[in-house]
Amino acid sequence: MKVRFSLLTFVVYVSLVTSYTEKPAIPFVKLSGDLVHANEGINNDGENFYLSGRQLLFKTDLDLNILDKNSSPLSIWHRLQGLNHIGDFEYYDGTLILPIERQPFYMWPALARFDATDLTMIEYKSQSAQHHMPWVALDKNTKFLFSSEFDDVDTLQIYDLDLKHRGSLPLAQKLPNGIQGGTFGPTPGLLYLTCNTNESIWEIDIVTGAVKEIVSYNNLGYTLEMEGITYFDLSQRGEGVLHFTGNPQKSLASKKMFNLNIPQED
């Protein structure tokens, strides 16, 4: 989230796993061409993927063939306002809802609404409830948006679909630093967050505030920067249900992380 130097970016497919005895793999699809820069956020509309770079938006099919691209989603005027870093975002009803942070310290964020058909901005509203806003995720049951800081996360912030701040949710415990992406899964009230600490995925119950780590790739011998995440059931394609983007930060070839199978849910 802060500073990234990487030559490769991956979309990684995983299944929801709470326990396992063998080291799981991370089946992946290597992004190529223009998509190597799409390393911030990911979401879907049930038929296609949407991906973001710091100042890029893409729409792809399920095989990651580019269907549409906006190379300048932030106009000169927006950049003059300091907006320069798109994070992990949400798709809803033909629109994309994006968190955008300002330079030079990825602070003073805004929430923006984009048209998903042509990837252009409809509106944006500056937000004061957060210093950083690396991600936003929509609970489709309550129609509320959730977000958090990057570090020291012991509370989630809540917004409505008019992009107005509505309140906060205290968590049962503070999350590790480096929260980058978020998505709601199929079970009502369960939110999944990517975290750079231990390259992990965390489950949050937005009803109780309970927090649980469901997997740590660092503890299993992998090293990558966790980024955006989305729920999309592609199990019939053999690609799991959670899909996240990540930047390898060290040589991974020696760890053979791309040649193993991911365990499935019982």
Side-chain angles (χ1 to χ4, degrees), residues 125-146:
K125 295 181 180 179
S126 295
Q127 305 295 330
S128 60
Q130 295 178 226
H131 296 292
H132 303 276
M133 189 180 283
W135 63 276
V136 65
L138 176 68
D139 175 19
K140 292 181 173 62
N141 293 295
T142 64
K143 300 299 190 293
F144 282 123
L145 297 157
F146 287 75

Side-chain angles (χ1 to χ4, degrees), residues 83 98-100 102 108-113 121-128 133 159-165:
L83 297 171
L98 284 72
I100 308 177
R102 287 178 163 89
W108 312 294
L111 279 173
R113 191 187 319 276
M121 186 185 290
I122 299 170
E123 63 173 333
Y124 84 91
K125 295 181 180 179
S126 295
Q127 305 295 330
S128 60
M133 189 180 283
Y159 302 83
D160 62 24
L161 287 171
D162 291 325
L163 312 184
K164 295 179 180 178
H165 185 250

Side-chain angles (χ1 to χ4, degrees), residues 1-12 26 38-40 54 85 106 134 150 177-181 194-201 217-218 222-229 244-250 252 257:
M1 177 70 183
K2 302 304 182 184
V3 180
R4 304 185 180 92
F5 299 100
S6 178
L7 297 178
L8 298 176
T9 304
F10 296 88
V11 171
V12 186
I26 310 179
N39 60 344
E40 296 296 336
R54 293 186 182 187
H85 192 290
Y106 305 112
F150 180 75
N177 285 343
I179 302 299
Q180 297 255 59
T194 58
C195 178
N196 279 340
T197 300
N198 291 330
E199 290 80 36
S200 51
I201 298 176
Y217 291 108
N218 180 267
Y222 303 123
T223 303
L224 66 159
E225 181 181 10
M226 307 291 283
E227 295 276 4
I229 185 170
F244 65 90
T245 57
N247 287 333
Q249 295 180 328
K250 295 182 180 180
L252 301 177
M257 67 181 294

Side-chain angles (χ1 to χ4, degrees), residues 85-116:
H85 192 290
I86 297 171
D88 190 29
F89 57 95
E90 181 64 65
Y91 173 90
Y92 177 70
D93 194 23
T95 65
L96 305 177
I97 301 173
L98 284 72
I100 308 177
E101 296 171 320
R102 287 178 163 89
Q103 60 184 358
F105 303 114
Y106 305 112
M107 296 178 68
W108 312 294
L111 279 173
R113 191 187 319 276
F114 278 66
D115 189 328

Side-chain angles (χ1 to χ4, degrees), residues 140-199:
K140 292 181 173 62
N141 293 295
T142 64
K143 300 299 190 293
F144 282 123
L145 297 157
F146 287 75
S147 186
S148 78
E149 298 289 338
F150 180 75
D151 290 335
D152 299 317
V153 176
D154 57 8
T155 303
L156 300 182
Q157 300 301 325
I158 305 171
Y159 302 83
D160 62 24
L161 287 171
D162 291 325
L163 312 184
K164 295 179 180 178
H165 185 250
R166 290 301 186 185
S168 59
L169 171 70
L171 300 179
Q173 69 183 70
K174 182 183 289 188
L175 292 171
N177 285 343
I179 302 299
Q180 297 255 59
T183 191
F184 280 88
T187 303
L190 292 186
L191 170 69
Y192 296 91
L193 302 179
T194 58
C195 178
N196 279 340
T197 300
N198 291 330
E199 290 80 36

Side-chain angles (χ1 to χ4, degrees), residues 73-85:
L74 305 178
S75 68
I76 293 176
W77 186 85
H78 294 126
R79 294 196 297 273
L80 287 174
Q81 307 302 307
L83 297 171
N84 80 329
H85 192 290

